[in-house]
Every structure is written in structure tokens, then in C-alpha cells.
């Protein structure tokens, strides 16, 4: 996912949201999306802008695209998003920081998955934890996606956005009873994660008076070779059931024929995965379990291989696996068993569509350490503080001709030393007296309201 953080010196912010774009050409291409987040300092207003300026892309370009981000640096030194100058967009909004999204890029990403899944019965379940903005959810629903949920609030948000509940999957290792009742009433797929989870699902089915379509979330113990905080499918993970317990769960499902219908198996390996053969390894294991389950008379029709496809956070031009690369590693396995495939992309659908735009508050030095202080913080982008994740940072506007390049830590205003967006970055020094010098942080948008 690509997100941006823009920093700048500018006059005092307006106190209302009454600003209008109707005198600007951008009025035909942008609209604002309110975002809510847990404030760690005094409340600050955030807004989001969605670019609808379509770019012409051939079918072949879409199929072969390596999920390139939608932000380009022109020879004039300015950053552009879908042909729009980010600097101009920043001048048009009423509050900062703000999120800027590309609607066409979201569409291109979904189409890449659809092309990859051609010939398979499948559900693209967008992982709402990646970005829960309602307008974005509505657009993804319009494109035909289902939704992957990890909380009752996400379930309610998916229903509000109009997702077909029979194309939604309720995950999580701590689902609570009242949320499971709603899922049962709406006909959502529910993953069984543990013994107590199974008990709650049975009770929810009784209260709803409906049989629940369930999948067993099996922990395949496959190392995704990613940061341990985002690894979810190894034996020490809190998610899923161990394979040696599989028979116990099958027996328990058999005891509740009026409440449960076992329709599939599910696994999830982790996030930021860049080696698709790992998905093949997991799918091979899962197919063997499905064979065992079918041997006991269960009509299992679904294989859910989760999500987690990685992206180019460093903007190095690295050629990373595409949706087609991912699907092609499991295609023959799925076809060999006549299965419906469920995938759960989140980051790879939304990350390269967005930037978080911030102002530079000022530049300071403490001895040998230089800082660029911005008005955005870890409250808007938690990944660097949470597990030292890298987020790309670059100027949105041309640097002053006399600007010296220095090594900076880019930090926010929150009163914690953990409040940083990037460390040790080589950047031109922002001028202290010029009103509009900006930085762009391409980000995965793992925030309080846009999760990992």
C-alpha cells in the first residue's frame, strides 16, 4: 500500500470545513472523506480526498502491472497523482494532514485480482482491517468484492457499505457472542479458531435460529519469512487450530448438525509476503486436510488461503509477485479438488493508492541529530512506531535551489519518543520561512482507523 504524509509551513488552519472546491478544476475530480481516529494529543481534524481522475490503461497493462503506485515525480520536481499535482490538491483542502486516494488505482488493483482468478470460482474478500474508510468500502463493493471481517464493528460497517453478507468472512481469534449472532443472522461465513470460538458460534446459531456456514481455520505451521509481528500461520501464532486437533473439531461439528455446516478450510500465513511459493506450500497442506475432511462425509467446497501479498515499500522499483503470480501457484491444486477459492487481500488492494499529506512544522537539531517535525504523527500512521516499519519519504514540491541535503529523523508532535515516521532519511532541508515545502510518506496506512 502506498500512503503519503505531507509536511509544510502554512498559515493558521481554518476552523470549519466550509471550504469549497467549486472554483477549482479539482472539483470535478476530488471529494472529501471524513476519517476518525483516536487522538493522542488535542483533537485534530483529518480529511481524505479521493482522486477520480481516470487514466487510460490497456487490458494487457493491467494484467502485467506489478502493482506500481499511482504517484509519479515529474521533471518539474512536483509529485503527481493520476495527473493531478499533489501540491495543488494540498492548496485546495481546508485541513491538514489528510489522506489522498486514487480511485482508479483501487479499480486497477481489483481488476488485477479478477484477471488472475479467471477460470476459478472465487471470492475476493477485501480485508477491511487494511482500510475501513466507508467510501472506499463502497467502491470495493461496487467492484464486486466481498469483505473479510475481524470485529463486530467491521461486520456492521460492511453491511452499511452494502456488501453481500454471503460473500463476507468473519475471522479472528476473539469473536464475541453478540457479533456472532449478527453474523449468523446475516448468513456470513465464520471461521472456527478455537474450542471456545466453536462453542460461541454454536450458541450464536441457536440464538439466531439459523445454521452457520463455517470454515476451520487451520494453522499450517508455514514460515512466511516476514516480521514476527505480522506472521500468523506458524506454530506459535495465536491464530487457528493445530493440525493434531483437527479430528476433535470435526467430531464437535458433527455433534451440532442443526447449528453448523462445515463448508471449507482456512489458513492465513501473514502480511508483506514476497515469496509466493510459500502460498503453494500452505495450499498443499490445506488440500491434504480437505481430503481428510471429505473422507468423513463433509461436503467441503471452499479453500481460503488468506491474504498477505507484499508491496514495494522502498519504492525501489523491485519486481514483486503479482496477484497472477500468487494465484498461479495454487490454481492447479484448487482445480484438482473442484474447490471455490477465497482470498483475502487488504494491503495489496489499497496501499499503493494512497498518500498521507502533512505540513512541516519546523526543522531542529539536537547535537548531531537532525529532525524534521511534521503535523502528522504515529496516530495517523502507526507502523513505524509499532514495529520499525519502513515508509517511503520524499519531497512533493521541488526543493529550494540552495537546500542542503542532510540526514533527518522525520517526527510528529506526540509527546513520545516513539512518534516518528522515518529515521535516518537523506532529504533536502526544508526552508524555515517558505510557506509550502512538503514531504510525502508513502505508507501502508496502518493507523488507529486504518489498521495493519
Amino acid at each position: 500500500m502506498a500512503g503519503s504524509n505531507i509536511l509544510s509551513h502554512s498559515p493558521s488552519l481554518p476552523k470549519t470545513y466550509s471550504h469549497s472546491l467549486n472554483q477549482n478544476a479539482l472539483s470535478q475530480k476530488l471529494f472529501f472523506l471524513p476519517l476518525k481516529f483516536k487522538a493522542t494529543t488535542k483533537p485534530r481534524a483529518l480529511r481524505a480526498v479521493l482522486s477520480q481522475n481516470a487514466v487510460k490503461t490497456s487490458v494487457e497493462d493491467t494484467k502485467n502491472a506489478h502493482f506500481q503506485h499511482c504517484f509519479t515525480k515529474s521533471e518539474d520536481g512536483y509529485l503527481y497523482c493520476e495527473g493531478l499535482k499533489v501540491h495543488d490538491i494540498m492548496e485546495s483542502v481546508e485541513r491538514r494532514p489528510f489522506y489522498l486516494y486514487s480511485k482508479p488505482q483501487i479499480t486497477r488493483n481489483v481488476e488485477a485480482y479478477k484477471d488472475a482468478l479467471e477460470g476459478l470460482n472465487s471470492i475476493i474478500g477485501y480485508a477491511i482491517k487494511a482500510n475501513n474508510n466507508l467510501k472506499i468500502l463502497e467502491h470495493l463493493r461496487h467492484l464486486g468484492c466481498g469483505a473479510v471481517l475481524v470485529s463486530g464493528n467491521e461486520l456492521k460497517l460492511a453491511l452499511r457499505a452494502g456488501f453481500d453478507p454471503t460473500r463476507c468472512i468473519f475471522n479472528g481469534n476473539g469473536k464475541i457472542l453478540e457479533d456472532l449472532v449478527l453474523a449468523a443472522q446475516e448468513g456470513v461465513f465464520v471461521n472456527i479458531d478455537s474450542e471456545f470460538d466453536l462453542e460461541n458460534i454454536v450458541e450464536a446459531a441457536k440464538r439466531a435460529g439459523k445454521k452457520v456456514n463455517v470454515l476451520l481455520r487451520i494453522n499450517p505451521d508455514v514460515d512466511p519469512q516476514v516480521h514476527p509481528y505480522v506472521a500468523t500461520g506458524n506454530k506459535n501464532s495465536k491464530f487457528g487450530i493445530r493440525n493434531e486437533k483437527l479430528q476433535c473439531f470435526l467430531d464437535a461439528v458433527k455433534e451440532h448438525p442443526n447449528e453448523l455446516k462445515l463448508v471449507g478450510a482456512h489458513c492465513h500465513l501473514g502480511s508483506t509476503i514476497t515469496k509466493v511459493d510459500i502460498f503453494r506450500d500452505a495450499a498443499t497442506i490445506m488440500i491434504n486436510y480437505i481430503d481428510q475432511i471429505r473422507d468423513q462425509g463433509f461436503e467441503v467446497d471452499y479453500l481460503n488461503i488468506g491474504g498477505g501479498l507484499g508491496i514495494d515499500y522502498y519504492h525501489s522499483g523491485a519486481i514483486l509477485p503479482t496477484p497472477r503470480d500468487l494465484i498461479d501457484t495454487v490454481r492447479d491444486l484448487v482445480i484438482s479438488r473442484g474447490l471455490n477459492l477465497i482470498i483475502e487481500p487488504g494491503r495489496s488492494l489499497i496501499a499503493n493508492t494512497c498518500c498521507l499529506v502533512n505540513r512541516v512544522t519546523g526543522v531542529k537539531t539536537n547535537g548531531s541529530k537532525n529532525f524534521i517535525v511534521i503535523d502528522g504523527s504515529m496516530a495517523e500512521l502507526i507502523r513505524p512506531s509499532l514495529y520499525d516499519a519502513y515508509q517511503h519519504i520524499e519531497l512533493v514540491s521541488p526543493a529550494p535551489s540552495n537546500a542542503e541535503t542532510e540526514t533527518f529523523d522525520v517526527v510528529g508532535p506526540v509527546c513520545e519518543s516513539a512518534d516518528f515516521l522515518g529515521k535516518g532519511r537523506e532529504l533536502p532541508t526544508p526552508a524555515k520561512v517558505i510557506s509550502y515545502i512538503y514531504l510525502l510518506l508513502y505508507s501502508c496506512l496502518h493507523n488507529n482507523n486504518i489498521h495493519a
Side-chain angles (χ1 to χ4, degrees), residues 184-379:
Q185 291 170 340
E186 297 292 338
V188 172
F189 289 105
V190 179
N191 280 329
I192 299 174
D193 187 86
S194 63
E195 290 88 349
F196 76 80
D197 196 34
L198 186 148
E199 293 173 1
N200 282 336
I201 296 169
V202 170
E203 179 61 26
K206 292 177 179 178
R207 296 190 184 187
K210 291 188 176 182
K211 185 181 293 188
V212 180
N213 288 325
V214 296
L215 295 86
L216 287 175
R217 178 165 182 169
I218 300 173
N219 186 323
D221 194 16
V222 172
D223 181 7
Q225 301 177 35
V226 297
H227 192 286
Y229 284 13
V230 292
T232 58
N234 54 41
K235 65 181 180 181
N236 294 318
S237 172
K238 69 179 183 177
F239 300 103
I241 63 176
R242 294 290 296 136
N243 52 24
E244 61 266 22
K245 289 188 174 183
L246 176 59
Q247 189 59 52
C248 295
F249 280 87
L250 294 178
D251 292 341
V253 172
K254 291 176 184 177
E255 293 174 1
H256 298 283
N258 297 322
E259 290 79 30
L260 306 177
K261 180 180 181 181
L262 181 58
V263 299
H266 171 276
C267 71
H268 194 289
L269 305 180
S271 299
T272 69
I273 299 172
T274 58
K275 298 179 180 179
V276 292
D277 58 335
I278 293 171
F279 289 98
R280 172 80 181 193
D281 294 341
T284 300
I285 293 171
M286 296 300 293
I287 286 292
N288 289 332
Y289 290 138
I290 286 176
D291 288 343
Q292 295 177 36
I293 295 169
R294 283 178 167 178
D295 286 343
Q296 297 191 36
F298 291 100
E299 296 179 0
V300 174
D301 297 321
Y302 291 90
L303 170 62
N304 186 333
I305 60 171
L309 194 63
I311 64 165
D312 182 13
Y313 276 112
Y314 286 85
H315 285 232
S316 62
I319 303 301
L320 297 177
T322 66
R324 183 170 294 278
D325 295 327
L326 167 58
I327 300 305
D328 283 350
T329 64
V330 302
R331 183 183 303 277
D332 61 329
L333 292 171
V334 173
I335 293 175
S336 71
R337 301 304 193 275
L339 291 164
N340 302 296
L341 181 65
I342 300 175
I343 57 170
E344 302 179 346
R347 180 192 317 263
S348 60
L349 281 182
I350 204 68
N352 66 349
T353 73
C354 177
C355 63
L356 174 60
V357 183
N358 304 269
R359 268 182 325 182
V360 172
T361 302
V363 179
K364 64 179 293 186
T365 181
N366 286 344
S368 59
K369 176 77 74 171
N370 300 318
F371 298 93
I372 296 175
V373 184
I374 65 175
D375 62 353
S377 71
M378 66 181 185

Side-chain angles (χ1 to χ4, degrees), residues 29 31 49-54 70 81-82 100-109 135-136 138-140 142-143 353:
K29 304 171 182 177
F31 62 88
V49 178
L50 188 62
S51 168
Q52 302 183 80
N53 191 35
C70 55
C81 175
E82 305 291 357
L100 172 65
Y101 298 95
S102 164
K103 190 173 183 179
Q105 185 65 50
I106 296 173
T107 301
R108 291 192 291 267
N109 291 346
K135 290 297 181 182
I136 289 174
E138 290 173 343
H139 182 55
L140 289 166
H142 174 74
L143 294 172
T353 73

